[in-house]
Amino acid sequence: MPPPPPPPHLRAWPHRDALLVDRARALGELNRRLLGGGRLALFLTWPALLQLGWALVVGSLGALSLSPDPFTLMLVVLTVAAGLGVLVPAVFFQVRGLRRDRDVRGRLVQWALLDRDPARDARHRAPVLSAAWLVVSFLMCAAGLWLCFAVPAAARPGSTTYTDVAYGMGAGFGLWVTGLAGLAKAVAHYRLAVRVFGAVSARPASEPVPTPTPTPEPAPDGRSASSARPPHA
């Protein structure tokens, strides 16, 4: 990950163009690590592993309740261990990814506020990637909420077991929490793009700041100062 920009007393760029090139390179790499295609693939991989681990744990416990013989007990222990071996790393890396995204976003803000370059800053807003994260996360949230409510509502005595309800609600809860994290990430990047890149790109660097024209003050007799006669010498 690109390091944060050096403090003002240690900056040694030979000219502004070199600073802008380094700034654009750092912003591009940070955006790729925050919203790139590989990051989105990882975002979809961890929920899939969560679902697999949860299915192994809940399914094995349901099998134990049906036939509690020694062979089944040994098989259940191995399956639960395998499920936890998938479930725990998936949760760990998801939490680690959230912390990493916070660090990446902070460095992106630091590099963006270092200078302004309207010609290159437009692409760093990444509207297509932000929209992709928003749509995928929204669909994940919707699917999770639907599972959390539909599975208990469709349960029937004698045909639906407690294991089925627990699996459906756990799977839905995992999808819902992961989707909320993705939605928060997409909204945070949109706000960052509007606040940082929109602010630095609002006025080109070469455009001078207009100075307001002073309005003439009215003379004491009601006429403007420009129409008043000059005093006699």
Side-chain angles (χ1 to χ4, degrees), residues 45-102:
T45 300
W46 300 130
L49 293 178
L50 280 173
Q51 300 297 322
L52 176 61
W54 181 247
L56 289 174
V57 171
V58 177
S60 59
L61 293 178
L64 180 62
S65 62
L66 295 177
S67 56
D69 56 275
F71 178 76
T72 304
L73 179 61
M74 182 181 63
L75 186 61
V76 164
V77 170
L78 294 177
T79 308
V80 169
L84 292 176
V86 175
L87 190 65
V88 173
V91 174
F92 171 77
F93 283 111
Q94 272 197 316
V95 175
R96 182 185 177 187
L98 293 176
R99 295 179 178 176
R100 176 179 170 274
D101 289 343
R102 182 186 58 188

Short mmCIF file of all heavy atoms in Angstrom, two decimals, residues 45-102:
data_model
loop_
_atom_site.label_atom_id
_atom_site.label_comp_id
_atom_site.label_asym_id
_atom_site.label_seq_id
_atom_site.Cartn_x
_atom_site.Cartn_y
_atom_site.Cartn_z
N THR A 45 -16.14 -13.49 -1.83
CA THR A 45 -15.60 -14.79 -1.43
C THR A 45 -15.84 -15.07 0.05
O THR A 45 -16.23 -16.19 0.43
CB THR A 45 -14.09 -14.84 -1.73
OG1 THR A 45 -13.88 -14.66 -3.13
CG2 THR A 45 -13.50 -16.17 -1.29
N TRP A 46 -15.63 -14.04 0.91
CA TRP A 46 -15.78 -14.29 2.35
C TRP A 46 -17.21 -14.67 2.74
O TRP A 46 -17.40 -15.58 3.55
CB TRP A 46 -15.33 -13.07 3.14
CG TRP A 46 -13.88 -12.71 2.90
CD1 TRP A 46 -13.39 -11.47 2.59
CD2 TRP A 46 -12.75 -13.58 2.94
NE1 TRP A 46 -12.03 -11.52 2.44
CE2 TRP A 46 -11.61 -12.80 2.65
CE3 TRP A 46 -12.58 -14.94 3.20
CZ2 TRP A 46 -10.33 -13.34 2.61
CZ3 TRP A 46 -11.31 -15.47 3.14
CH2 TRP A 46 -10.21 -14.68 2.86
N PRO A 47 -18.27 -14.05 2.20
CA PRO A 47 -19.62 -14.53 2.53
C PRO A 47 -19.87 -15.97 2.05
O PRO A 47 -20.58 -16.73 2.73
CB PRO A 47 -20.54 -13.54 1.81
CG PRO A 47 -19.74 -12.32 1.64
CD PRO A 47 -18.34 -12.78 1.46
N ALA A 48 -19.29 -16.33 0.91
CA ALA A 48 -19.46 -17.72 0.45
C ALA A 48 -18.81 -18.69 1.42
O ALA A 48 -19.38 -19.75 1.74
CB ALA A 48 -18.85 -17.87 -0.95
N LEU A 49 -17.62 -18.35 1.94
CA LEU A 49 -16.98 -19.21 2.93
C LEU A 49 -17.76 -19.22 4.24
O LEU A 49 -17.83 -20.27 4.91
CB LEU A 49 -15.54 -18.74 3.16
CG LEU A 49 -14.58 -18.91 1.98
CD1 LEU A 49 -13.22 -18.37 2.32
CD2 LEU A 49 -14.50 -20.38 1.58
N LEU A 50 -18.34 -18.08 4.60
CA LEU A 50 -19.18 -18.05 5.80
C LEU A 50 -20.37 -19.01 5.67
O LEU A 50 -20.70 -19.74 6.60
CB LEU A 50 -19.68 -16.64 6.04
CG LEU A 50 -18.72 -15.65 6.72
CD1 LEU A 50 -19.34 -14.25 6.73
CD2 LEU A 50 -18.41 -16.09 8.13
N GLN A 51 -20.99 -18.98 4.51
CA GLN A 51 -22.14 -19.87 4.29
C GLN A 51 -21.72 -21.34 4.32
O GLN A 51 -22.43 -22.19 4.89
CB GLN A 51 -22.80 -19.55 2.94
CG GLN A 51 -23.33 -18.13 2.82
CD GLN A 51 -24.43 -17.84 3.81
OE1 GLN A 51 -25.26 -18.68 4.09
NE2 GLN A 51 -24.43 -16.63 4.34
N LEU A 52 -20.55 -21.64 3.75
CA LEU A 52 -20.07 -23.02 3.76
C LEU A 52 -19.76 -23.49 5.18
O LEU A 52 -20.17 -24.58 5.59
CB LEU A 52 -18.82 -23.12 2.88
CG LEU A 52 -18.12 -24.49 2.86
CD1 LEU A 52 -19.06 -25.56 2.32
CD2 LEU A 52 -16.84 -24.42 2.03
N GLY A 53 -19.05 -22.65 5.94
CA GLY A 53 -18.74 -23.04 7.32
C GLY A 53 -19.98 -23.19 8.17
O GLY A 53 -20.09 -24.14 8.97
N TRP A 54 -20.93 -22.26 8.02
CA TRP A 54 -22.17 -22.36 8.80
C TRP A 54 -22.96 -23.60 8.43
O TRP A 54 -23.55 -24.26 9.29
CB TRP A 54 -22.99 -21.10 8.58
CG TRP A 54 -24.27 -21.05 9.34
CD1 TRP A 54 -25.53 -21.09 8.83
CD2 TRP A 54 -24.42 -20.95 10.77
NE1 TRP A 54 -26.47 -21.02 9.83
CE2 TRP A 54 -25.81 -20.94 11.04
CE3 TRP A 54 -23.53 -20.88 11.83
CZ2 TRP A 54 -26.31 -20.85 12.33
CZ3 TRP A 54 -24.03 -20.80 13.11
CH2 TRP A 54 -25.41 -20.77 13.35
N ALA A 55 -22.99 -23.95 7.14
CA ALA A 55 -23.71 -25.16 6.70
C ALA A 55 -23.07 -26.42 7.28
O ALA A 55 -23.77 -27.35 7.71
CB ALA A 55 -23.73 -25.22 5.18
N LEU A 56 -21.74 -26.47 7.32
CA LEU A 56 -21.08 -27.64 7.88
C LEU A 56 -21.36 -27.78 9.38
O LEU A 56 -21.64 -28.88 9.87
CB LEU A 56 -19.56 -27.55 7.64
CG LEU A 56 -19.09 -27.72 6.20
CD1 LEU A 56 -17.60 -27.47 6.10
CD2 LEU A 56 -19.43 -29.11 5.69
N VAL A 57 -21.31 -26.67 10.11
CA VAL A 57 -21.53 -26.73 11.56
C VAL A 57 -22.97 -27.11 11.88
O VAL A 57 -23.24 -28.05 12.65
CB VAL A 57 -21.16 -25.39 12.21
CG1 VAL A 57 -21.57 -25.37 13.67
CG2 VAL A 57 -19.66 -25.14 12.09
N VAL A 58 -23.93 -26.41 11.29
CA VAL A 58 -25.33 -26.66 11.61
C VAL A 58 -25.78 -28.01 11.08
O VAL A 58 -26.53 -28.75 11.74
CB VAL A 58 -26.21 -25.51 11.07
CG1 VAL A 58 -27.68 -25.80 11.33
CG2 VAL A 58 -25.81 -24.20 11.70
N GLY A 59 -25.34 -28.36 9.87
CA GLY A 59 -25.74 -29.66 9.30
C GLY A 59 -25.23 -30.83 10.11
O GLY A 59 -25.94 -31.83 10.31
N SER A 60 -24.00 -30.74 10.59
CA SER A 60 -23.45 -31.85 11.39
C SER A 60 -24.16 -31.97 12.73
O SER A 60 -24.42 -33.08 13.21
CB SER A 60 -21.95 -31.62 11.59
OG SER A 60 -21.73 -30.39 12.25
N LEU A 61 -24.52 -30.83 13.35
CA LEU A 61 -25.25 -30.91 14.61
C LEU A 61 -26.65 -31.48 14.41
O LEU A 61 -27.17 -32.21 15.26
CB LEU A 61 -25.34 -29.51 15.24
CG LEU A 61 -24.01 -28.91 15.71
CD1 LEU A 61 -24.22 -27.52 16.28
CD2 LEU A 61 -23.35 -29.81 16.75
N GLY A 62 -27.26 -31.17 13.25
CA GLY A 62 -28.56 -31.78 12.96
C GLY A 62 -28.47 -33.27 12.75
O GLY A 62 -29.35 -34.03 13.18
N ALA A 63 -27.39 -33.73 12.12
CA ALA A 63 -27.20 -35.17 11.94
C ALA A 63 -26.96 -35.87 13.27
O ALA A 63 -27.37 -37.02 13.47
CB ALA A 63 -26.03 -35.42 10.99
N LEU A 64 -26.32 -35.19 14.20
CA LEU A 64 -26.08 -35.79 15.52
C LEU A 64 -27.38 -36.01 16.27
O LEU A 64 -27.54 -37.01 17.00
CB LEU A 64 -25.15 -34.88 16.33
CG LEU A 64 -24.79 -35.36 17.74
CD1 LEU A 64 -24.04 -36.68 17.67
CD2 LEU A 64 -23.96 -34.31 18.46
N SER A 65 -28.34 -35.11 16.10
CA SER A 65 -29.62 -35.28 16.81
C SER A 65 -30.45 -36.42 16.25
O SER A 65 -31.35 -36.92 16.92
CB SER A 65 -30.43 -33.98 16.72
OG SER A 65 -30.74 -33.67 15.36
N LEU A 66 -30.16 -36.85 15.01
CA LEU A 66 -30.94 -37.94 14.40
C LEU A 66 -30.42 -39.31 14.83
O LEU A 66 -31.20 -40.20 15.15
CB LEU A 66 -30.91 -37.81 12.87
CG LEU A 66 -31.59 -36.57 12.29
CD1 LEU A 66 -31.43 -36.53 10.79
CD2 LEU A 66 -33.07 -36.55 12.69
N SER A 67 -29.10 -39.50 14.79
CA SER A 67 -28.54 -40.81 15.13
C SER A 67 -27.27 -40.62 15.95
O SER A 67 -26.17 -40.53 15.39
CB SER A 67 -28.23 -41.61 13.85
OG SER A 67 -27.37 -40.85 13.02
N PRO A 68 -27.39 -40.58 17.28
CA PRO A 68 -26.23 -40.32 18.14
C PRO A 68 -25.39 -41.57 18.42
O PRO A 68 -25.18 -41.95 19.58
CB PRO A 68 -26.86 -39.77 19.41
CG PRO A 68 -28.20 -40.41 19.47
CD PRO A 68 -28.64 -40.61 18.05
N ASP A 69 -24.90 -42.26 17.39
CA ASP A 69 -24.02 -43.41 17.62
C ASP A 69 -22.56 -42.95 17.58
O ASP A 69 -22.27 -41.83 17.15
CB ASP A 69 -24.27 -44.48 16.55
CG ASP A 69 -24.10 -43.90 15.15
OD1 ASP A 69 -25.08 -43.32 14.62
OD2 ASP A 69 -22.99 -43.99 14.60
N PRO A 70 -21.61 -43.77 18.04
CA PRO A 70 -20.21 -43.34 18.12
C PRO A 70 -19.62 -42.92 16.77
O PRO A 70 -18.86 -41.95 16.69
CB PRO A 70 -19.48 -44.56 18.69
CG PRO A 70 -20.54 -45.28 19.45
CD PRO A 70 -21.81 -45.07 18.68
N PHE A 71 -19.92 -43.66 15.71
CA PHE A 71 -19.38 -43.31 14.40
C PHE A 71 -19.91 -41.94 13.95
O PHE A 71 -19.15 -41.11 13.44
CB PHE A 71 -19.75 -44.39 13.38
CG PHE A 71 -19.27 -44.08 11.99
CD1 PHE A 71 -17.94 -44.22 11.65
CD2 PHE A 71 -20.18 -43.62 11.03
CE1 PHE A 71 -17.51 -43.92 10.37
CE2 PHE A 71 -19.76 -43.31 9.75
CZ PHE A 71 -18.41 -43.47 9.42
N THR A 72 -21.20 -41.73 14.16
CA THR A 72 -21.77 -40.43 13.79
C THR A 72 -21.19 -39.31 14.64
O THR A 72 -20.94 -38.20 14.15
CB THR A 72 -23.31 -40.47 13.96
OG1 THR A 72 -23.84 -41.54 13.17
CG2 THR A 72 -23.93 -39.16 13.51
N LEU A 73 -20.95 -39.61 15.92
CA LEU A 73 -20.36 -38.60 16.79
C LEU A 73 -18.96 -38.21 16.31
O LEU A 73 -18.61 -37.01 16.28
CB LEU A 73 -20.30 -39.14 18.22
CG LEU A 73 -19.68 -38.19 19.26
CD1 LEU A 73 -20.47 -36.91 19.37
CD2 LEU A 73 -19.60 -38.90 20.62
N MET A 74 -18.15 -39.18 15.92
CA MET A 74 -16.81 -38.87 15.42
C MET A 74 -16.89 -38.07 14.11
O MET A 74 -16.15 -37.12 13.90
CB MET A 74 -16.04 -40.18 15.20
CG MET A 74 -14.61 -39.96 14.72
SD MET A 74 -13.73 -41.52 14.46
CE MET A 74 -14.73 -42.24 13.13
N LEU A 75 -17.83 -38.47 13.25
CA LEU A 75 -17.99 -37.74 11.99
C LEU A 75 -18.46 -36.30 12.23
O LEU A 75 -18.02 -35.36 11.56
CB LEU A 75 -18.98 -38.49 11.10
CG LEU A 75 -19.17 -37.94 9.68
CD1 LEU A 75 -17.86 -38.00 8.90
CD2 LEU A 75 -20.26 -38.72 8.95
N VAL A 76 -19.33 -36.13 13.22
CA VAL A 76 -19.82 -34.79 13.54
C VAL A 76 -18.69 -33.92 14.08
O VAL A 76 -18.57 -32.74 13.72
CB VAL A 76 -20.98 -34.89 14.56
CG1 VAL A 76 -21.25 -33.53 15.20
CG2 VAL A 76 -22.24 -35.39 13.86
N VAL A 77 -17.84 -34.49 14.92
CA VAL A 77 -16.72 -33.72 15.47
C VAL A 77 -15.79 -33.26 14.35
O VAL A 77 -15.36 -32.10 14.30
CB VAL A 77 -15.96 -34.56 16.51
CG1 VAL A 77 -14.65 -33.88 16.90
CG2 VAL A 77 -16.83 -34.78 17.74
N LEU A 78 -15.49 -34.15 13.41
CA LEU A 78 -14.63 -33.77 12.29
C LEU A 78 -15.29 -32.71 11.41
O LEU A 78 -14.63 -31.76 10.96
CB LEU A 78 -14.28 -35.01 11.46
CG LEU A 78 -13.42 -36.07 12.16
CD1 LEU A 78 -13.21 -37.28 11.26
CD2 LEU A 78 -12.07 -35.48 12.56
N THR A 79 -16.58 -32.86 11.18
CA THR A 79 -17.27 -31.89 10.32
C THR A 79 -17.38 -30.53 10.98
O THR A 79 -17.21 -29.48 10.34
CB THR A 79 -18.68 -32.41 9.97
OG1 THR A 79 -18.59 -33.74 9.46
CG2 THR A 79 -19.33 -31.53 8.93
N VAL A 80 -17.66 -30.51 12.29
CA VAL A 80 -17.71 -29.23 13.01
C VAL A 80 -16.35 -28.56 13.01
O VAL A 80 -16.23 -27.33 12.84
CB VAL A 80 -18.22 -29.45 14.44
CG1 VAL A 80 -18.03 -28.20 15.28
CG2 VAL A 80 -19.69 -29.83 14.42
N ALA A 81 -15.28 -29.36 13.18
CA ALA A 81 -13.94 -28.79 13.15
C ALA A 81 -13.64 -28.19 11.78
O ALA A 81 -13.06 -27.10 11.67
CB ALA A 81 -12.91 -29.85 13.51
N ALA A 82 -14.04 -28.90 10.72
CA ALA A 82 -13.83 -28.36 9.37
C ALA A 82 -14.65 -27.09 9.15
O ALA A 82 -14.19 -26.13 8.54
CB ALA A 82 -14.19 -29.42 8.33
N GLY A 83 -15.91 -27.10 9.65
CA GLY A 83 -16.74 -25.90 9.50
C GLY A 83 -16.17 -24.70 10.23
O GLY A 83 -16.15 -23.58 9.70
N LEU A 84 -15.69 -24.94 11.47
CA LEU A 84 -15.07 -23.83 12.20
C LEU A 84 -13.77 -23.38 11.55
O LEU A 84 -13.41 -22.20 11.59
CB LEU A 84 -14.81 -24.25 13.65
CG LEU A 84 -16.05 -24.47 14.51
CD1 LEU A 84 -15.67 -24.96 15.90
CD2 LEU A 84 -16.87 -23.18 14.61
N GLY A 85 -13.05 -24.34 10.93
CA GLY A 85 -11.83 -23.98 10.23
C GLY A 85 -12.09 -23.10 9.03
O GLY A 85 -11.20 -22.37 8.58
N VAL A 86 -13.29 -23.16 8.48
CA VAL A 86 -13.66 -22.26 7.38
C VAL A 86 -14.31 -20.99 7.90
O VAL A 86 -14.06 -19.89 7.41
CB VAL A 86 -14.61 -23.00 6.41
CG1 VAL A 86 -15.11 -22.05 5.32
CG2 VAL A 86 -13.90 -24.19 5.77
N LEU A 87 -15.14 -21.13 8.94
CA LEU A 87 -15.94 -20.01 9.44
C LEU A 87 -15.09 -18.97 10.15
O LEU A 87 -15.22 -17.75 9.91
CB LEU A 87 -17.01 -20.56 10.38
CG LEU A 87 -18.10 -19.60 10.85
CD1 LEU A 87 -18.96 -19.15 9.69
CD2 LEU A 87 -18.97 -20.27 11.91
N VAL A 88 -14.19 -19.40 11.02
CA VAL A 88 -13.41 -18.46 11.82
C VAL A 88 -12.47 -17.62 10.95
O VAL A 88 -12.42 -16.38 11.09
CB VAL A 88 -12.65 -19.20 12.93
CG1 VAL A 88 -11.69 -18.26 13.66
CG2 VAL A 88 -13.64 -19.82 13.92
N PRO A 89 -11.70 -18.21 10.02
CA PRO A 89 -10.86 -17.35 9.17
C PRO A 89 -11.67 -16.39 8.31
O PRO A 89 -11.23 -15.26 8.06
CB PRO A 89 -10.09 -18.35 8.31
CG PRO A 89 -10.08 -19.61 9.08
CD PRO A 89 -11.39 -19.63 9.79
N ALA A 90 -12.86 -16.81 7.86
CA ALA A 90 -13.68 -15.91 7.04
C ALA A 90 -14.10 -14.69 7.84
O ALA A 90 -14.04 -13.55 7.36
CB ALA A 90 -14.90 -16.65 6.51
N VAL A 91 -14.52 -14.89 9.10
CA VAL A 91 -14.89 -13.76 9.95
C VAL A 91 -13.68 -12.89 10.24
O VAL A 91 -13.75 -11.64 10.19
CB VAL A 91 -15.53 -14.27 11.25
CG1 VAL A 91 -15.79 -13.12 12.21
CG2 VAL A 91 -16.83 -15.02 10.95
N PHE A 92 -12.54 -13.52 10.52
CA PHE A 92 -11.33 -12.76 10.85
C PHE A 92 -10.90 -11.87 9.69
O PHE A 92 -10.60 -10.68 9.86
CB PHE A 92 -10.21 -13.73 11.22
CG PHE A 92 -8.87 -13.07 11.36
CD1 PHE A 92 -8.54 -12.34 12.49
CD2 PHE A 92 -7.92 -13.19 10.34
CE1 PHE A 92 -7.31 -11.73 12.62
CE2 PHE A 92 -6.68 -12.57 10.47
CZ PHE A 92 -6.38 -11.84 11.60
N PHE A 93 -10.88 -12.44 8.49
CA PHE A 93 -10.41 -11.66 7.34
C PHE A 93 -11.44 -10.60 6.93
O PHE A 93 -11.05 -9.56 6.38
CB PHE A 93 -10.10 -12.59 6.17
CG PHE A 93 -8.79 -13.30 6.32
CD1 PHE A 93 -8.76 -14.67 6.54
CD2 PHE A 93 -7.60 -12.61 6.26
CE1 PHE A 93 -7.55 -15.33 6.68
CE2 PHE A 93 -6.38 -13.26 6.41
CZ PHE A 93 -6.35 -14.63 6.62
N GLN A 94 -12.71 -10.83 7.20
CA GLN A 94 -13.69 -9.78 6.94
C GLN A 94 -13.47 -8.58 7.87
O GLN A 94 -13.49 -7.42 7.42
CB GLN A 94 -15.11 -10.32 7.11
CG GLN A 94 -15.67 -10.94 5.84
CD GLN A 94 -17.17 -11.09 5.92
OE1 GLN A 94 -17.71 -11.53 6.92
NE2 GLN A 94 -17.85 -10.74 4.85
N VAL A 95 -13.27 -8.84 9.15
CA VAL A 95 -13.01 -7.75 10.09
C VAL A 95 -11.69 -7.06 9.76
O VAL A 95 -11.57 -5.82 9.80
CB VAL A 95 -13.00 -8.29 11.54
CG1 VAL A 95 -12.62 -7.19 12.52
CG2 VAL A 95 -14.37 -8.86 11.89
N ARG A 96 -10.69 -7.83 9.41
CA ARG A 96 -9.40 -7.24 9.02
C ARG A 96 -9.56 -6.38 7.77
O ARG A 96 -8.91 -5.33 7.66
CB ARG A 96 -8.40 -8.36 8.79
CG ARG A 96 -7.01 -7.87 8.44
CD ARG A 96 -6.09 -9.03 8.10
NE ARG A 96 -4.78 -8.56 7.72
CZ ARG A 96 -3.82 -9.36 7.24
NH1 ARG A 96 -4.04 -10.68 7.15
NH2 ARG A 96 -2.66 -8.87 6.89
N GLY A 97 -10.39 -6.82 6.83
CA GLY A 97 -10.61 -6.02 5.63
C GLY A 97 -11.28 -4.69 5.93
O GLY A 97 -10.97 -3.67 5.30
N LEU A 98 -12.21 -4.68 6.89
CA LEU A 98 -12.84 -3.41 7.28
C LEU A 98 -11.83 -2.44 7.87
O LEU A 98 -11.84 -1.23 7.57
CB LEU A 98 -13.98 -3.68 8.27
CG LEU A 98 -15.18 -4.45 7.73
CD1 LEU A 98 -16.17 -4.73 8.85
CD2 LEU A 98 -15.85 -3.69 6.60
N ARG A 99 -10.95 -2.93 8.72
CA ARG A 99 -9.91 -2.06 9.29
C ARG A 99 -8.95 -1.58 8.21
O ARG A 99 -8.52 -0.42 8.22
CB ARG A 99 -9.16 -2.81 10.39
CG ARG A 99 -10.02 -3.17 11.59
CD ARG A 99 -9.21 -3.93 12.62
NE ARG A 99 -10.02 -4.24 13.79
CZ ARG A 99 -9.58 -4.97 14.83
NH1 ARG A 99 -8.34 -5.47 14.81
NH2 ARG A 99 -10.37 -5.20 15.86
N ARG A 100 -8.61 -2.45 7.28
CA ARG A 100 -7.71 -2.06 6.20
C ARG A 100 -8.35 -1.01 5.31
O ARG A 100 -7.68 -0.07 4.86
CB ARG A 100 -7.35 -3.31 5.40
CG ARG A 100 -6.50 -3.07 4.18
CD ARG A 100 -6.19 -4.38 3.49
NE ARG A 100 -5.58 -4.19 2.19
CZ ARG A 100 -6.26 -4.00 1.09
NH1 ARG A 100 -7.58 -3.98 1.11
NH2 ARG A 100 -5.64 -3.82 -0.07
N ASP A 101 -9.64 -1.14 5.05
CA ASP A 101 -10.33 -0.13 4.25
C ASP A 101 -10.30 1.23 4.93
O ASP A 101 -10.18 2.27 4.26
CB ASP A 101 -11.78 -0.56 4.00
CG ASP A 101 -11.87 -1.73 3.04
OD1 ASP A 101 -10.89 -2.00 2.34
OD2 ASP A 101 -12.93 -2.39 3.01
N ARG A 102 -10.41 1.25 6.24
CA ARG A 102 -10.34 2.53 6.96
C ARG A 102 -8.97 3.18 6.79
O ARG A 102 -8.88 4.39 6.57
CB ARG A 102 -10.65 2.29 8.44
CG ARG A 102 -10.65 3.54 9.29
CD ARG A 102 -10.83 3.18 10.75
NE ARG A 102 -9.77 2.28 11.20
CZ ARG A 102 -9.75 1.68 12.39
NH1 ARG A 102 -10.75 1.85 13.24
NH2 ARG A 102 -8.74 0.90 12.73
#
